[in-house]
Amino acid sequence: MANVETLEKLERRITISLPRNEVQAEVDKRLKVRARTAKAPGFRPGKVPMNMVVAQYGAQTHSDVLHEMIGAQFHAKAIDSDLRVAGYPAISAKTEDVADGHIAFHATFEVYPEVKIGDLSAIEIEKVKTEISEEDVDRTIDVLRKGQAHFHVKGEQGEHGDGGAVQSAQNNDRVTIDFVGTIDGVEFDGGKAEGYAFILGHGQMLPEFEAAIVGLNVGESKKFPLTFPEDYQGKDVAGKTAEFTVTLKKLEWAHMPEVNADFAKSLGVADGDVAKLRQDVRDNLEREANNRLQAKNKNAVMDALVKVAEFDVPKALVEQEIDHLVEMTKQNMAQNGMNPKNMALPRELFTAQAERRVRLGLILGDLVKINELKASPEQVRAEVERIAKSYQDPQMVIDYYYGTKERIDEVEALVLEENVVNFVLGKAKVTEKALPFTEVMAQKQQ
């Protein structure tokens, strides 16, 4: 068994010793092979003098041989000592106590920790649930109706009426305004517009701006102060108070379609059955709610596991995960039209997230192994079919996932996580909390 030194926590060191004559013999062997095809000005291929071959290829060949021989010996010693190496070893030359005729190196590396998970039955986890009410279905159908709304001038009689008794600007009306804003009496960029149209109450403008328009009649003006949020996207005005003057130029009310067969057909219900439309809406809401709840409950389980498990995390794995997160961030930035090519992202921004991901990966791996929680082919297939159900052509989505091993591996990882979540929930002290559907949907996705 190799002599393995323990340096600190997970850090270990192995000494690697190579006979110089064996290293040189391998170098000479490779250089002779290289000489058969070596080229140099004034010489035919394969006729280049050996001293020139050595001068041209000797250093790189020597480096390659050392790299391979060190790697082979390190691998053999790691296996001999039953070491689970995390990451890659750092190789440095050893200069003292080296046997005659040898060259020696230190291989410093980390090993995987022994994952110690506490008593799962002592864990307290709050599991959230929800139910879809008829009001939730009605609210969603109203959103769909608003998406098909068309507008009429308020006060003008038409086939759908004149907009009702309240003829002033109200939420859901489309308003066309002129406005000008000043800060300390001076107009600012983006603070002035003419004929600007938007729908009140849909969050297109700052809440204070929209509130000031509610109740105005066409032709009326209003002057009001507005303080921009500290985190407002316009940095020049963020946190400052402006004075706006708004004039309502045009006012239109929204006529929404009736919930009938035509409306159902417009949303893909071929026979126009409104009951089918409501069931489709309910199914979609339940699917989205389940996705949100699944993510939230999984996060609660992961938080509990992180707290109950004690072990050191290999720094090498954290650094690798940081590399992965940085690359993912750059890809996302590129997809959003930014150019991250020459952008230096501070690695410390990702350290906490990377350490948590590595820690959880080790915990999950340990739980899966000990408790045989592997994802079965049937579970993977069921998950693929569940994902596919929300698409217009489910079979195409199923074929997509089964088209490559990488894609199906992603689904298998999701199933593994779900197996662990269910296993932990089966052991822990679980309390259930019912949340309104609107609250579930309003919460930030985990």
Side-chain angles (χ1 to χ4, degrees):
M1 182 175 290
N3 183 25
V4 181
E5 299 177 70
T6 299
L7 301 181
E8 181 183 358
K9 295 182 178 179
L10 302 176
E11 198 172 48
R12 305 288 186 269
R13 186 168 69 185
I14 288 177
T15 298
I16 295 171
S17 182
L18 302 174
R20 288 183 181 274
N21 60 347
E22 290 185 14
V23 174
Q24 191 59 50
E26 181 62 24
V27 171
D28 293 343
K29 177 183 174 182
R30 296 191 186 190
L31 287 174
K32 286 178 182 178
V33 173
R34 169 69 73 173
R36 297 171 189 168
T37 57
K39 298 179 181 179
F43 296 93
R44 287 180 296 164
K47 299 298 182 180
V48 179
M50 183 54 71
N51 63 328
M52 293 182 66
V53 174
V54 171
Q56 187 172 356
Y57 301 107
Q60 184 60 52
T61 302
H62 190 271
S63 176
D64 291 344
V65 168
L66 278 181
H67 179 79
E68 292 177 21
M69 294 179 79
I70 290 171
Q73 192 173 131
F74 174 80
H75 182 67
K77 288 190 173 186
I79 292 176
D80 183 52
S81 299
D82 197 24
L83 296 173
R84 295 179 62 220
V85 179
Y88 300 98
I91 306 299
S92 60
K94 182 184 180 185
T95 57
E96 297 180 357
D97 300 323
V98 178
D100 290 342
H102 286 67
I103 49 177
F105 302 88
H106 287 308
T108 305
F109 57 98
E110 289 178 291
V111 294
Y112 278 89
E114 179 184 352
V115 178
K116 296 180 180 179
I117 300 176
D119 182 7
L120 295 180
S121 64
I123 295 177
E124 296 183 0
I125 297 175
E126 182 180 79
K127 183 180 179 182
V128 293
K129 62 179 182 178
T130 192
E131 290 186 5
I132 310 299
S133 67
E134 287 301 303
E135 290 76 13
D136 296 322
V137 175
D138 290 337
R139 192 181 300 109
T140 303
I141 288 177
D142 279 343
V143 171
L144 296 173
R145 292 173 67 206
K146 289 176 183 177
Q148 295 189 19
H150 53 277
F151 293 87
H152 303 279
V153 175
K154 222 172 193 183
E156 291 185 3
Q157 189 65 36
E159 60 175 314
H160 302 302
D162 63 357
V166 180
Q167 294 292 303
S168 60
Q170 303 296 318
N171 283 337
N172 296 319
D173 288 343
R174 184 163 67 186
V175 297
T176 301
I177 61 172
D178 295 342
F179 68 87
V180 60
T182 61
I183 296 178
D184 297 329
V186 180
E187 292 183 16
F188 55 90
D189 289 342
K192 182 178 181 179
E194 294 182 355
Y196 185 80
F198 68 97
I199 301 174
L200 277 176
H202 286 206
Q204 294 172 259
M205 306 291 279
L206 290 173
E208 296 84 355
F209 192 96
E210 295 197 8
I213 297 172
V214 173
L216 287 181
N217 293 304
V218 174
E220 288 185 339
S221 297
K222 187 173 185 179
K223 184 178 289 187
F224 60 93
L226 185 150
T227 300
F228 289 96
E230 292 290 345
D231 59 352
Y232 190 67
Q233 59 185 5
K235 301 303 181 185
D236 293 339
V237 299
K240 297 180 181 179
T241 299
E243 186 174 74
F244 278 94
T245 300
V246 174
T247 302
L248 182 58
K249 306 296 288 185
K250 185 178 181 181
L251 180 60
E252 299 165 289
W253 66 282
H255 174 262
M256 298 190 296
E258 298 297 323
V259 182
N260 54 25
D262 289 337
F263 179 68
K265 288 178 181 178
S266 74
L267 294 171
V269 181
D271 61 3
D273 189 332
V274 173
K276 286 184 181 178
L277 170 63
R278 293 185 66 85
Q279 188 59 50
D280 285 349
V281 169
R282 175 177 286 277
D283 289 344
N284 286 330
L285 294 182
E286 287 179 349
R287 184 161 45 246
E288 181 60 27
N290 287 338
N291 287 340
R292 295 287 185 106
L293 293 174
Q294 187 179 42
K296 186 172 181 62
N297 290 328
K298 181 177 78 171
N299 203 55
V301 169
M302 298 304 170
D303 285 344
L305 286 174
V306 167
K307 292 177 182 177
V308 78
E310 294 183 4
F311 58 92
D312 294 316
V313 175
K315 297 175 184 176
L317 299 186
V318 174
E319 289 300 316
Q320 289 177 18
E321 187 61 29
I322 290 175
D323 290 339
H324 175 65
L325 292 173
V326 168
E327 185 57 33
M328 284 178 57
T329 301
K330 288 185 175 182
Q331 289 178 10
N332 291 336
M333 293 170 68
Q335 290 173 1
N336 291 323
M338 302 174 67
N339 181 14
K341 186 175 181 181
N342 299 318
M343 188 180 297
L345 297 174
R347 295 178 66 81
E348 57 269 19
L349 291 178
F350 304 92
T351 301
Q353 184 184 2
E355 183 170 336
R356 174 182 168 86
R357 286 168 68 120
V358 171
R359 185 176 293 276
L360 279 172
L362 294 173
I363 294 171
L364 297 184
D366 194 67
L367 286 173
V368 168
K369 181 180 178 181
I370 293 174
N371 301 287
E372 298 182 350
L373 303 176
K374 292 182 179 180
S376 69
E378 293 78 16
Q379 285 181 304
V380 173
R381 179 76 186 190
E383 178 64 14
V384 171
E385 291 178 352
R386 186 192 69 80
I387 295 170
K389 278 180 65 176
S390 61
Y391 290 85
Q392 189 172 1
D393 187 348
Q395 188 58 49
M396 184 177 71
V397 177
I398 292 171
D399 293 341
Y400 169 80
Y401 275 103
Y402 278 96
T404 67
K405 184 178 183 302
E406 289 76 12
R407 292 175 195 147
I408 211 66
D409 283 348
E410 291 177 5
V411 179
E412 183 177 345
L414 291 175
V415 174
L416 273 176
E417 285 189 354
E418 194 60 23
N419 285 350
V420 171
V421 169
N422 292 332
F423 176 78
V424 174
L425 289 175
K427 298 284 186 181
K429 298 176 182 176
V430 178
T431 56
E432 290 193 338
K433 178 181 179 182
L435 294 178
F437 171 74
T438 51
E439 185 175 337
V440 171
M441 299 308 293
Q443 292 178 350
K444 187 176 179 181
Q445 184 75 288
Q446 298 288 348

